[in-house]
Amino acid sequence: MRRGIVRALVAAVSVLVAGCSGEPERPPAKPVYDLPAREVRPDETALHLPSALNGETEFSVIGLAAGLPSLTGSHTEFEAKGQFVRLRLVVTGKGLSGILFDTRRQQLVTDSGAVIAVDNQAMTIKRQPDKFDLGRGVRVEFDLYFDLPKEAKPLVLRAFGGPTLTDMKNLTGTDIKLG
């Protein structure tokens, strides 16, 4: 009986001493996916910007190509009125439910303050998505194409997530500075 009490006391003292070591206990690291790095396309600059939220949609702009005079698709070549700008974008559903994501709602703001809509014909020629269901935890990567005046510089992506349960219209975008 006495040995049992002694063992219990020794165990308790060991726990107390370990807890007083002076170093705070660190929570274990959360596991992460190992996504392989990919080469940036020849006409593109990799962007290393922080992600931004709009509603329940997370946006990560990962690439920018500006000054593109034309686009080539599977059946046609399409000339820009000014210059094409291509943004590589990753969107992730962060909400509790899915949303209907509309790529055509996204806007580009130039250095002169002009707000440019996605170029529908360029998006179609390059076979980029239009609207799609973005489920909870789903991550989708695609390009956005804009036709800017030749001298314009792209400054901001105005990003719009899909409607949420609390904001069915989602009229306010989130500005993401491109540099």
Side-chain angles (χ1 to χ4, degrees):
M1 176 80 127
R2 202 168 180 185
R3 283 185 187 171
I5 293 173
V6 170
R7 285 183 185 159
L9 284 173
V10 169
V13 169
S14 297
V15 169
L16 287 173
V17 169
C20 296
S21 65
E23 289 187 31
E25 281 192 39
R26 294 187 181 134
K30 291 183 180 180
V32 298
Y33 293 111
D34 292 325
L35 298 175
R38 292 173 291 142
E39 285 188 26
V40 176
R41 292 176 279 190
D43 59 355
E44 190 171 75
T45 300
L47 299 177
H48 305 281
L49 305 172
S51 297
L53 279 173
N54 180 253
E56 296 175 345
T57 306
E58 180 180 72
F59 292 84
S60 300
V61 183
I62 62 171
L64 169 69
L68 305 173
S70 64
L71 301 174
T72 303
S74 58
H75 295 88
T76 188
E77 184 170 338
F78 185 55
E79 298 291 322
K81 293 176 188 130
Q83 63 167 314
F84 284 116
V85 171
R86 180 183 68 226
L87 292 177
R88 189 70 174 166
L89 186 64
V90 179
V91 294
T92 306
K94 293 294 194 175
L96 298 177
S97 61
I99 59 163
L100 181 61
F101 185 84
D102 186 355
T103 60
R104 305 308 203 257
R105 285 190 71 201
Q106 313 316 306
Q107 301 172 338
L108 194 61
V109 181
T110 69
D111 56 342
S112 69
V115 177
I116 310 293
V118 168
D119 189 285
N120 289 325
Q121 196 165 2
M123 293 286 285
T124 300
I125 288 169
K126 295 307 274 184
R127 300 185 189 272
Q128 295 304 298
D130 183 12
K131 293 179 182 173
F132 56 88
D133 287 321
L134 183 64
R136 179 182 185 188
V138 173
R139 175 184 167 150
V140 179
E141 183 175 328
F142 55 93
D143 291 321
L144 293 174
Y145 287 88
F146 302 90
D147 195 344
L148 275 61
K150 277 191 179 186
E151 303 304 318
K153 303 259 187 274
L155 288 186
V156 171
L157 172 65
R158 184 158 296 143
F160 292 87
T164 66
L165 294 174
T166 58
D167 183 4
M168 293 305 291
K169 293 181 183 171
N170 191 10
L171 299 176
T172 306
T174 297
D175 287 354
I176 304 169
K177 292 182 181 175
L178 300 175

